[in-house]
Amino acid sequence: MPETIIVTRELGFSYGDIVALRDVTLDIPAGCVGLVGANGAGKTTLLRLLLGILRPAAGAVWALGHPVPAAALAVRSRVGYMPESACLPPDQTAADFVGYAAELAGLTPRAARQRASDVLGLVGLHEERFRPMGGFSTGMKQRAKLAQAIVHDPDLVLLDEPTAGLDPEGREEMLELIGRLEGFGINAVVSSHVLTDIERTCQWIVMLDGGGVLRSGPLTEISATDEVSVEVLGDPAPLAAALEAAGAAVEVQGRVVVVRAERADLYDLVRDALADTATAVRRLGPRRTTLEDIFLRGTGDLRKAKDLREAEDLRKTEDLRKTEDLRETEDLRGAEDV
Amino acid sequence: MSEGVIYDLGYHPHEGPRLGRAGAVRALYRDGLRRTLGLRRRARAKVAPWGLLAIAILPAVAFIGVAVFTRQMGVNEVEFFSHAQYFDLTGTIALLFIAAAAGELLVPDRTNGVLQVYASRPLTTGDYLLGRAAALLTVVFAFMELPHLVLFLGRAWVAEEGFGSYVAGNAAVLWQTTLACVVYFAALAPPAFLFAVFSKRPALAAGSFVGAMLVLSPATRALVTEAGLKPFGLFALQEHPAVIKDWIMGVAGRRWVPQRAGYDPWVSLVVVMVVALAAGYLVVRRYRRPV
């Protein structure tokens, strides 16, 4: 079991009447963690709670073993944050600002200058490091934002929508950089609503929806299904027919046959069907689903649960109203009696 | 044949010291100094601070030049202006300087979203404001005291009794001007910060602060002297530090609005302290909001 870097217990936060997070309980291991959810799901709120910028309304949160916000300063000296919105002064050069960001994290001025130069080289801004950042493209700004987040060699970096506003090429480069962070010894929490980005870079997924946790676990576990996918060479029809005859549910997608059956020996069934129909197989294995499928299915379930809960609340309210009406009627009757 | 060496220029973890919160506040302070003086910025950012400094020092340098020239001509009785009178010029320039610097220190951090970076570093809101205020105090103090130091040394240089005797006999001027500089800072910087935290542009913050201060003096003067509404003398915010400065330097006279309204110098001191505390409280309160 890898080391746990973030722990939350029944964490809740509201902006006035709007509930941003509720009952969030998580144990997040070291590595690259994807925080996914639609806009307004509570991703940024969770990141801000981790930094101690916001104070939890309910529950508790620990980052790198420290309670937040009680030990927020200790956490912040070992954490980097790349905000989603703009955070770069346009009149400063990248070298000055990133060096300053390192000094703000407690590095000596000399070390800060050296690391700023190194990290700007690492993110591909070595040539542009003495240019004012006001003239940077969106891609360069995102890289400068990443540089200020990792310049002090943090143990954990929180990246809020790191690929926002980037063109396909810029997105590729940013994802490649994020993918390298673990090799530098930097754990990352990547918040994004672009699920394919998360699939490419993260090993652990936390799905948020409507302020609650939809799923949390390793990507391999989350994306695995109880279905078997068989890609064949040639016509898949005989294989599909054999499997259907054996009682399995079958779906043919081009040369891929997806087999579904609630039985432990599903692979044996497929093997026998392949042998019986003399079908040549190219690939055989568990069918993996995309995060998008999981998310859409999950949000659907959650919405259903929410609708049910709301319907239940509505029923209770109506019952209460009826009871109150009854009581008022009885009170009135009583008053009349008097 | 020489052996080649391959250097890995990839990522290297930082193994040096981490100075924590104290280091972060010092970084803020240094950045504040640079920003106030326009250092490591474009040339136009340097024009205002260095131009104002030149204007503040120029009279002292001119005085010394004239005094040296007239002494060579055999005229020794050259009397220009006192340190208290010099404050009337440097105080006005300090007002302009503080107005510009306060906006420059606080507004861009907020409008450019840099507060998010501060929020991810080992700093509190108090540390942030302390670092900024300390930088402003340092520069304002240097800005106001340097012309007086030049004037003092110039006077000593051309003094009939000799340099050493003049310095020994007038050393009190140094602590008096030092204290007066701190009073000017305490009177002007907190309200300037208050204007800056509610403005979206540094120039707007500076303009509205200077405008408010410049309007208050003639308005309160008219209300006190023409209409006889003496309590309005308390609202002549720009003039309270001048009253205290005269008090420190032992200058008699009732030329300032609070004095015309009949208030003693200690009342001006109380007003300065109350305004500073109130403005400071409002500034901190403004920054307490989530970033």
Side-chain angles (χ1 to χ4, degrees), chain B residues 49-117:
Chain B
W50 294 101
L52 287 171
L53 183 61
I55 293 169
I57 290 183
L58 208 60
V61 174
F63 163 74
I64 297 162
V66 170
V68 169
F69 178 71
T70 51
R71 197 172 65 165
Q72 283 174 349
M73 300 286 289
V75 182
N76 288 327
E77 294 299 320
V78 177
E79 188 62 44
F80 268 74
F81 42 80
S82 65
H83 283 277
Q85 288 168 326
Y86 200 9
F87 261 111
D88 294 346
L89 171 70
T90 56
T92 305
I93 293 175
L95 169 74
L96 299 174
F97 183 81
I98 287 172
E104 199 54 50
L105 282 171
L106 297 185
V107 178
D109 283 345
R110 208 177 58 251
T111 54
N112 294 327
V114 187
L115 288 181
Q116 298 179 95
V117 175

Side-chain angles (χ1 to χ4, degrees), chain B residues 220-221 223-225 228-236 239-240 243 253-268 271:
Chain B
T220 51
R221 181 175 289 116
L223 288 166
V224 168
T225 55
L229 299 168
K230 294 194 172 177
F232 279 93
L234 296 174
F235 294 96
E239 303 207 352
H240 288 297
V243 173
R254 301 175 68 82
R255 59 199 177 109
W256 304 108
V257 175
Q259 293 170 319
R260 289 183 189 190
Y263 293 109
D264 289 333
W266 67 266
V267 178
S268 289
V271 171

Side-chain angles (χ1 to χ4, degrees), chain A residues 237-309:
Chain A
L239 175 66
L243 287 166
E244 274 176 339
V250 175
E251 189 184 330
V252 180
Q253 300 165 350
R255 288 182 188 276
V256 177
V257 179
V258 177
V259 192
R260 198 176 307 117
E262 285 183 6
R263 48 193 290 178
D265 61 344
L266 185 58
Y267 280 89
D268 294 344
L269 180 73
V270 173
R271 180 201 59 204
D272 294 346
L274 283 166
D276 291 347
T277 56
T279 307
V281 63
R282 171 177 273 172
R283 193 165 57 210
L284 169 67
R287 191 176 82 82
R288 296 208 175 274
T289 186
T290 62
L291 277 181
E292 196 171 340
D293 289 340
I294 302 162
F295 187 73
L296 290 173
R297 205 182 306 151
T299 48
D301 291 347
L302 207 73
R303 297 256 153 76
K304 270 183 218 160
K306 195 180 167 193
D307 290 346
L308 280 173
R309 205 164 47 229

Side-chain angles (χ1 to χ4, degrees), chain B residues 128-199:
Chain B
Y128 171 74
L129 293 170
L130 184 74
R132 291 306 196 210
L136 185 60
L137 173 63
T138 305
V139 178
V140 168
F141 180 75
F143 197 93
M144 292 190 78
E145 187 62 12
L146 188 62
H148 286 281
L149 208 57
V150 170
L151 182 66
F152 181 78
L153 294 174
R155 278 174 179 276
W157 186 23
V158 299
E160 275 185 84
E161 65 264 41
F163 188 90
S165 300
Y166 180 88
V167 170
N170 297 277
V173 168
L174 293 177
W175 72 258
Q176 286 171 345
T177 52
T178 300
L179 202 56
C181 290
V182 174
V183 168
Y184 270 90
F185 174 82
L188 300 175
F193 271 177
L194 187 60
F195 275 80
V197 298
F198 287 102
S199 300

